[in-house]
Amino acid sequence: MMLNVVSFEEAMKITEEKFSLSEQSTERLSITECIGRITAEDIAAGESIPPFDRSTVDGYALRASDTFGAGESIPAMLDIKGEILMGEQASQPVSAGECVKISTGGMLPEGADSVVMVEHTEQTPDGICLAFRAVSPFQNVTRKGDDVKKGQTVIKKGTPLSSRHIGILCALGITEVLCTKKIRVGIISSGDEIVPVEECVPLGKIRDINSHFLSALMSEKGCETTEYGIVRDDFDSLYATLQKAADECDVVLISGGSSAGSKDMTATVIQKNGEVFFHGIAVKPGKPTISGRVGKAAVFGLPGHPAAAYLIALTVVLRLIRKLTGEDITPFTLTAELTKSISSNHGREELVPVILKSGKAEPLFFKSGLVSLLCAADGYIIIPRNKEGLFEGEKVSVHPF
Amino acid sequence: MMLNVVSFEEAMKITEEKFSLSEQSTERLSITECIGRITAEDIAAGESIPPFDRSTVDGYALRASDTFGAGESIPAMLDIKGEILMGEQASQPVSAGECVKISTGGMLPEGADSVVMVEHTEQTPDGICLAFRAVSPFQNVTRKGDDVKKGQTVIKKGTPLSSRHIGILCALGITEVLCTKKIRVGIISSGDEIVPVEECVPLGKIRDINSHFLSALMSEKGCETTEYGIVRDDFDSLYATLQKAADECDVVLISGGSSAGSKDMTATVIQKNGEVFFHGIAVKPGKPTISGRVGKAAVFGLPGHPAAAYLIALTVVLRLIRKLTGEDITPFTLTAELTKSISSNHGREELVPVILKSGKAEPLFFKSGLVSLLCAADGYIIIPRNKEGLFEGEKVSVHPF
């Protein structure tokens, strides 16, 4: 089969355009189980926060106009009509010349528009409050809706929910959220030379790194993963396993067997079962990446080299996962100066892991077999395909892991 | 009870010094369940990666010295002694004047020190390889131990494990890792004005935001959380619930009831049950924070205001959690320019949430009641206590959420 090579950017776009979020793929989750999930609708406030005007101090709720002109030597005098504690409904209205004792967080009674702090008052034995300071309307008051107005969208569709969102949901009494379902990712390792990690490895063979490695990455990114184990370099075995995985999952990752060499079979199996969109990306590492479809499932053939498979999963595959979950955020990047020049004369994009140290990015030089490298790195940079390299001191965008 | 106020930095140090990781608090976890956990020992390589010298190309393994002087017009001539495929053990040694056909990833046979690429060779009908290029020793070879040397520490004690670590563990055949146990955090909300989120809220009362909010944060940070519900402002109830939580958990968070006002009881209850280290932190928001001990458990009284409780849990409480899990990393910060000046004339530290936009930090002005604010923010900055504010354009360290 001819290699149909696309650019890194095209690779992401092509796959993204071929698949979309189905309408059945949402579910209502309680707020105790929605962390890490993506909202499937805008969430609007059903009420205002605070739901009433609220005192921010201990003091007396009153009409500001009653205090105008008051000072140390000429206090305003007000009848104390009662007391409102935090958590109580304010049932006693306040008229001109009246006030009500109020605690921090207390509900402002009808008729009152401000609170004079207790430190600026004196209470006489016969129930009169002397206010030695003037207050302006709404002074020492948080107004109804100051935090959130009824009807306002508080969380947008496509937001990945974190603990920070739980506060506002609780404040509004929202106990369930419509989220997209977890994307089911199936993982297949292929190759006669591969041995399960749990087994003793004969000299010459290599351990199956990619099954657990890719599964860990996809779980970390919020997917539900299934490992389909190691499949021998045998057309029928790979065909059958791929068919099963494609039936059960939204996305299937096959690692190994994606070079153009003699053992290559992944592309042929995908083609026979479905359709191949491209075979090969002009990116280093990750060239022998395949994208296609079997049934409703997106299928990727990933490089056998673990670090290359990981980086392509983190970029190309994750871009599709984001599309499928409806996640609507710009991935976070940060700017740093390179500590060393890097040459890159490949006519293809290059992904380079970097260590971040006091605002600078130190590139880690990459042989795609090196699995220890990713442990040390804090993120990666992308060298554009039309650049022959990057200079020491040049500003780069780092994608943190 | 007198307020015993400490600085923000003191608050973190005092609590950290009072508690330590107990030796019983570790467990062996399989590599499929260790993500997010903290390693409790250095992990060393039991073997080298790669475990043998490996070819990086398809070609012929040979002795480099046999090719010296070879060129387009004078090829080196070598006897082909066999073929090694990837995954096979190389049993056929190579002597002077000999070579072995080898695939990418194949194991270099004894006696060979380099590989000449197949593109630079021709095979004659009688089994002779003509090499038209000279190679230097170890050219086109990944040497044994190039990635990891046997005995080398690959993951240090105190490392939070992520998917990136799984590759190296699998490569080394390590299937279990000694990690510290999850810290058990108990959460109590106190206050007569508090109503469970799931219930209808009468006017004047407020919903219990903090139980789910703090629980979500602590779970997100890798703790095992238990919500003990809402306790009325009643000494005996709080005493009994705190005793139970302290028996069952490593850390107990009580929110609400920590101002010096009339309803304050948390400090008295902690004192009666154990010991209070401090009552009050010179930080905004979060002043009415209490730290103490009941039995073996660390107990925190957190502010009732949700955003304040969240930020203190994220800083002071999390610093202790890191100590207890043995996490040994410097929390990641990034540098950004402020988009607006902020005044701060409090003689206390101030935590200010910020939005990050194209490398700049936009401060969000904070009234501690505002729960919607944390949704919008990307991180927070700390204004030092001896500063009267920060200027527009000033560089600040942002702690991302």
Side-chain angles (χ1 to χ4, degrees):
Chain A
M1 177 177 294
M2 281 282 291
L3 282 186
N4 164 23
V5 176
V6 298
S7 75
F8 187 52
E9 195 50 40
E10 280 166 351
M12 301 208 257
K13 280 202 186 124
I14 288 169
T15 320
E16 217 179 24
E17 279 163 12
K18 298 279 184 182
F19 298 92
S20 57
L21 181 62
S22 79
E23 286 186 14
Q24 290 76 41
S25 55
T26 60
E27 57 187 331
R28 292 216 159 263
L29 294 174
S30 97
I31 50 168
T32 58
E33 54 189 13
C34 67
I35 301 290
R37 293 300 198 85
I38 314 297
T39 51
E41 61 183 7
D42 284 349
I43 300 172
E47 56 192 73
S48 293
I49 303 177
F52 45 78
D53 292 347
R54 175 185 280 169
S55 178
T56 60
V57 296
D58 292 337
Y60 293 89
L62 41 66
R63 299 184 173 201
S65 55
D66 281 347
T67 68
F68 292 169
E72 287 303 325
S73 50
I74 332 152
M77 294 173 63
L78 300 132
D79 284 335
I80 303 174
K81 304 297 287 184
E83 182 171 4
I84 300 160
L85 297 175
M86 183 168 175
E88 279 185 1
Q89 185 163 2
S91 48
Q92 172 77 46
V94 169
S95 306
E98 295 177 350
C99 70
V100 161
K101 202 172 178 190
I102 195 164
S103 314
T104 303
M107 177 179 176
L108 220 66
E110 212 189 305
D113 61 10
S114 52
V115 178
V116 62
M117 287 173 82
V118 70
E119 293 88 327
H120 305 143
T121 64
E122 253 180 58
Q123 186 175 339
T124 68
D126 51 344
I128 299 291
C129 166
L130 304 177
F132 296 96
R133 294 248 180 125
V135 286
S136 51
F138 306 111
Q139 192 170 341
N140 299 322
V141 169
T142 304
R143 299 206 63 187
K144 176 178 174 173
D146 250 7
D147 193 350
V148 176
K149 284 183 182 41
K150 186 175 172 174
Q152 179 188 333
T153 296
V154 289
I155 302 175
K156 283 193 183 156
K157 181 177 171 173
T159 301
L161 292 170
S162 80
S163 64
R164 288 182 295 120
H165 299 100
I166 300 303
I168 190 81
L169 293 171
C170 287
L172 291 166
I174 296 169
T175 56
E176 284 191 337
V177 183
L178 190 72
C179 294
T180 47
K181 285 189 180 162
K182 285 192 173 196
I183 300 301
R184 295 161 302 170
V185 178
I187 293 154
I188 302 171
S189 274
S190 76
D192 288 337
E193 76 282 14
I194 305 287
V195 179
V197 171
E198 293 74 12
E199 287 177 18
C200 191
V201 53
L203 200 65
K205 304 271 179 195
I206 56 172
R207 294 197 180 90
D208 174 23
I209 300 175
N210 286 339
S211 287
H212 293 334
F213 201 20
L214 294 172
S215 179
L217 173 61
M218 289 294 140
S219 303
E220 202 172 62
K221 299 300 180 187
C223 302
E224 196 178 298
T225 62
T226 307
E227 293 182 23
Y228 289 88
I230 300 166
V231 178
R232 299 289 132 220
D233 280 330
D234 162 86
F235 189 92
D236 295 335
S237 307
L238 188 54
Y239 189 91
T241 307
L242 176 56
Q243 192 62 62
K244 181 171 155 62
D247 282 349
E248 296 173 351
C249 301
D250 305 303
V251 174
V252 180
L253 309 181
I254 307 172
S255 75
S258 55
S259 79
S262 57
K263 290 193 174 186
D264 180 10
M265 186 176 348
T266 306
T268 320
V269 171
I270 298 173
Q271 187 80 60
K272 177 100 176 178
N273 257 7
E275 186 186 352
V276 170
F277 307 138
F278 61 80
H279 186 179
I281 306 178
V283 67
K284 179 188 173 190
K287 183 161 188 279
T289 299
I290 303 166
S291 165
R293 175 209 303 273
V294 169
K296 287 183 178 172
V299 180
F300 291 92
L302 296 180
H305 284 310
Y310 188 93
L311 285 171
I312 295 300
L314 189 68
T315 50
V316 180
V317 178
L318 215 62
R319 176 101 153 232
L320 174 64
I321 303 277
R322 287 216 182 89
K323 164 87 181 283
L324 294 179
T325 57
E327 184 174 335
D328 186 21
I329 55 155
T330 311
F332 176 74
T333 59
L334 49 95
T335 305
E337 264 177 39
L338 270 187
T339 62
K340 283 180 206 162
S341 298
I342 316 173
S343 68
S344 167
N345 197 352
H346 300 280
R348 49 177 175 167
E349 252 98 3
E350 190 167 345
L351 307 175
V352 180
V354 295
I355 294 178
L356 288 170
K357 265 187 205 157
S358 42
K360 298 197 170 181
E362 183 189 326
L364 294 172
F365 295 103
F366 203 29
K367 301 179 188 174
S368 56
L370 300 188
V371 285
S372 60
L373 200 102
L374 289 173
C375 286
D378 297 308
Y380 65 93
I381 60 171
I382 302 175
I383 308 180
R385 63 193 311 198
N386 55 1
K387 281 243 183 181
E388 298 198 354
L390 298 170
F391 291 106
E392 183 185 329
E394 198 165 339
K395 299 259 187 194
V396 290
S397 267
V398 179
H399 302 254
F401 286 129
Chain B
M1 175 178 295
M2 280 282 291
L3 281 188
N4 164 24
V5 176
V6 298
S7 77
F8 186 51
E9 196 48 42
E10 281 167 350
M12 300 208 258
K13 281 203 183 126
I14 288 170
T15 320
E16 216 179 24
E17 281 164 11
K18 298 279 185 182
F19 299 91
S20 57
L21 180 61
S22 79
E23 286 184 16
Q24 291 75 41
S25 54
T26 60
E27 57 187 331
R28 289 213 163 266
L29 296 174
S30 99
I31 51 168
T32 58
E33 53 187 16
C34 68
I35 302 290
R37 292 302 197 85
I38 314 298
T39 50
E41 60 184 7
D42 284 349
I43 300 172
E47 55 192 73
S48 292
I49 303 177
F52 45 78
D53 291 348
R54 175 185 280 169
S55 177
T56 60
V57 296
D58 292 339
Y60 293 89
L62 41 67
R63 298 184 175 199
S65 55
D66 282 346
T67 67
F68 293 171
E72 285 304 326
S73 50
I74 333 154
M77 294 174 63
L78 300 131
D79 284 335
I80 303 174
K81 304 298 284 185
E83 182 172 4
I84 299 159
L85 297 174
M86 182 169 177
E88 279 185 1
Q89 185 163 359
S91 47
Q92 173 76 46
V94 169
S95 307
E98 296 178 350
C99 69
V100 160
K101 201 170 180 192
I102 195 164
S103 314
T104 303
M107 178 178 175
L108 221 65
E110 212 189 304
D113 62 8
S114 51
V115 179
V116 61
M117 287 174 80
V118 71
E119 293 89 328
H120 306 141
T121 65
E122 252 180 59
Q123 187 174 341
T124 67
D126 51 344
I128 301 290
C129 165
L130 304 178
F132 296 96
R133 292 249 179 126
V135 287
S136 50
F138 307 110
Q139 192 169 340
N140 299 323
V141 170
T142 304
R143 300 207 62 188
K144 176 178 174 175
D146 250 8
D147 195 350
V148 175
K149 287 183 180 41
K150 185 174 173 177
Q152 179 188 333
T153 296
V154 289
I155 301 175
K156 284 192 181 155
K157 180 178 172 174
T159 302
L161 292 170
S162 82
S163 64
R164 287 181 296 120
H165 299 99
I166 301 303
I168 190 80
L169 293 171
C170 288
L172 291 167
I174 296 170
T175 55
E176 285 192 335
V177 183
L178 190 72
C179 294
T180 47
K181 285 189 180 162
K182 286 193 171 195
I183 301 301
R184 295 162 301 171
V185 178
I187 293 154
I188 302 171
S189 274
S190 76
D192 288 338
E193 76 282 13
I194 305 288
V195 180
V197 171
E198 292 74 13
E199 287 177 19
C200 191
V201 53
L203 200 65
K205 304 270 179 198
I206 56 172
R207 293 196 180 91
D208 175 21
I209 298 174
N210 286 339
S211 287
H212 292 334
F213 200 20
L214 294 173
S215 179
L217 172 62
M218 290 294 141
S219 303
E220 201 172 61
K221 298 299 180 187
C223 302
E224 197 178 297
T225 62
T226 307
E227 293 183 22
Y228 289 87
I230 300 166
V231 177
R232 298 290 131 221
D233 281 328
D234 161 86
F235 189 92
D236 295 335
S237 307
L238 188 54
Y239 189 92
T241 305
L242 175 56
Q243 191 63 61
K244 180 171 156 59
D247 282 349
E248 296 172 352
C249 300
D250 304 303
V251 174
V252 181
L253 309 181
I254 307 172
S255 75
S258 56
S259 78
S262 57
K263 289 193 174 188
D264 179 10
M265 188 176 352
T266 305
T268 320
V269 171
I270 297 174
Q271 186 80 62
K272 177 98 177 181
N273 259 6
E275 186 187 351
V276 170
F277 307 138
F278 60 79
H279 186 179
I281 305 178
V283 67
K284 179 188 173 188
K287 184 160 187 279
T289 298
I290 303 166
S291 166
R293 175 209 303 275
V294 169
K296 285 182 178 172
V299 180
F300 292 91
L302 297 179
H305 284 309
Y310 187 94
L311 285 172
I312 295 300
L314 190 68
T315 50
V316 180
V317 177
L318 214 62
R319 175 104 153 230
L320 174 64
I321 303 277
R322 287 214 183 91
K323 164 86 182 282
L324 293 179
T325 57
E327 185 174 335
D328 186 22
I329 56 153
T330 311
F332 175 75
T333 59
L334 49 96
T335 305
E337 265 178 38
L338 271 186
T339 61
K340 283 180 208 166
S341 298
I342 317 171
S343 68
S344 167
N345 198 352
H346 299 280
R348 49 177 175 165
E349 252 97 3
E350 190 166 344
L351 307 176
V352 181
V354 296
I355 294 177
L356 288 169
K357 264 186 206 157
S358 41
K360 298 197 171 182
E362 184 189 326
L364 295 171
F365 295 103
F366 204 26
K367 299 179 188 174
S368 55
L370 298 189
V371 286
S372 60
L373 199 101
L374 289 172
C375 287
D378 297 307
Y380 66 93
I381 59 171
I382 303 176
I383 308 179
R385 63 194 312 199
N386 55 2
K387 281 244 184 179
E388 296 197 355
L390 298 170
F391 291 105
E392 185 186 329
E394 199 166 338
K395 298 258 185 195
V396 290
S397 267
V398 178
H399 302 254
F401 285 129

